[in-house]
Amino acid sequence: MRTRPLKVALLGCGVVGSEVARIMTTHADDLAARIGAPVELAGVAVRRPSRVREGIDPALVTTDATALVKRGDIDVVVEVIGGIEPARTLITTAFEYGASVVSANKALLAQDGAALHAAAEEHGEDLYYEASVAGAIPLIRPLRESLAGDKVNRVLGIVNGTTNFILDKMDSSGAGYQEALDEATALGYAEADPTADVEAFDAAAKAAILAGIAFHTRVRLDDVYREGMTEVTASDFASAREMGCTIKLLAICERAADGGSVTARVHPAMIPLSHPLASVRGAYNAVFVESDAAGQLMFYGPGAGGAPTASAVLGDLVAVCRNRLSGATGPGESAYAALPVSPMGDVVTRYHISLDVADKPGVLAQVATVFAEHGVSIDTVRQQGRQDSDGEASLVVVTHRASDASLTGTVEALRKLDTVRGVASIMRVEGE
């Protein structure tokens, strides 16, 4: 074993960073044995140096992250500060000064992953980011290494624990959205401002990363269709149960049937109770991968939190340090396929549409005609009068597979009918 330690600079010492530092210290001997050399925490860049950080030598703490990555003797920079800047500049600077990088920064990788990979390749360094997508769940490495000889056709997953907790609570207890969100906040699953989670910004960034790796194509955050879950209601869950489904916020990355394009999207969807993802409860994450040779694979576990995310960071750290010792680098960006990313309008799936209509004869025929005129085939339809309404009824239509564009045109035409009082909800049906 080499006795000279590999030096690690830690950027950020919050929930994840503090766990990374703790594991590096408490598991130092095991890490050294697995790597073939000891690893040394050489510096920790933070914004508030006065805060007490248990187990970290105060002499290592600095507010000058730039100076830390420019030292020249740093082997690996671990970036867990998040956001776009200064993280982007610090990472590229680390490459320039001879350090490889381990990051958990999903937003930056989804926006500028191609540029970061190019910078890493230019300087002969590694860029690893297992922790950016699903916390402790090994997912990126299986996709880009274990399945490197296979053809991945679809990645379908729950990649945000906060939203899964909220939807699971709504499903299991009948709670409304706000009530479930309040409980998630009280338990620490949701931030004081939950926008990034409930409006699916977090999941969309992860979908961009997953699609890029799975399909060997550059997929940026702007390419991902995003729809939040704040409009999901108890009535939607009641409808889902009638269909033998539940509702999940899904990240869906698909290769077109002809193989000529890909799509990436995040939105709430009904999913059959028979599908493995339907049983993912609480704040857990799970990702379902479908490929030609391996078939169907599912990866499940805690997708967030200090210790789980730090586990993924440390796994990358070990891999990068091993590469460092051998004088090699691991897999870089694979974008050779360069497939176009199709817009949401081209996506084909099933739909569940709930309409408020006039409770009188002929309404169903009018509605069915509109669907037919737009080329959308109806699978099932259910109409029920409401005793407390003023001559209104609920009409629920479930379609066969149709494009998003054709469904959009159908709904616009339905709104123009005098007998349609409103569109209560539209929900996609996935996983069949």
Side-chain angles (χ1 to χ4, degrees), residues 312-326:
V313 170
L314 266 295
D316 279 351
L317 179 63
V318 169
V320 170
C321 286
R322 286 172 175 169
N323 291 344
R324 197 117 181 134
L325 290 179
S326 65

Side-chain angles (χ1 to χ4, degrees), residues 328-340:
T329 55
E333 182 189 32
S334 176
Y336 73 89
L339 296 171

Side-chain angles (χ1 to χ4, degrees), residues 170 174-176 231-242 247 270 352 354 382 394 396 424-425 427:
M170 293 175 69
E231 301 300 319
V232 177
T233 66
S235 295
D236 292 326
F237 274 102
S239 295
R241 282 190 288 272
E242 291 178 356
I247 298 172
M270 293 183 181
H352 176 284
S354 179
R382 185 180 73 255
S394 295
V396 175
S425 69
M427 186 80 63

Side-chain angles (χ1 to χ4, degrees), residues 78-104:
V78 175
E79 183 271 310
V80 289
I81 56 178
I84 305 302
E85 288 291 358
R88 174 171 49 198
T89 299
L90 290 170
I91 289 173
T92 54
T93 301
F95 293 144
E96 292 169 7
Y97 280 79
S100 289
V101 173
V102 172
S103 177

Side-chain angles (χ1 to χ4, degrees), residues 173-265:
S173 70
Y177 166 75
Q178 190 59 52
E179 182 183 351
L181 173 59
D182 290 344
E183 182 172 347
T185 303
L187 292 172
Y189 292 129
E191 301 288 344
D193 180 1
T195 302
D197 294 325
V198 300
E199 294 294 353
F201 290 100
D202 174 86
K206 295 172 179 178
I209 296 170
L210 287 174
I213 295 171
F215 306 132
H216 305 279
T217 291
R218 287 178 179 170
V219 179
R220 300 181 73 252
L221 182 58
D222 292 345
D223 296 321
V224 181
Y225 171 83
R226 177 191 57 80
E227 183 181 318
M229 49 159 282
T230 57
E231 301 300 319
V232 177
T233 66
S235 295
D236 292 326
F237 274 102
S239 295
R241 282 190 288 272
E242 291 178 356
M243 291 180 59
C245 294
T246 188
I247 298 172
K248 298 292 186 182
L249 183 75
L250 298 177
I252 305 169
C253 311
E254 292 180 306
R255 188 189 299 270
D258 64 3
S261 64
V262 299
T263 59
R265 51 196 165 102

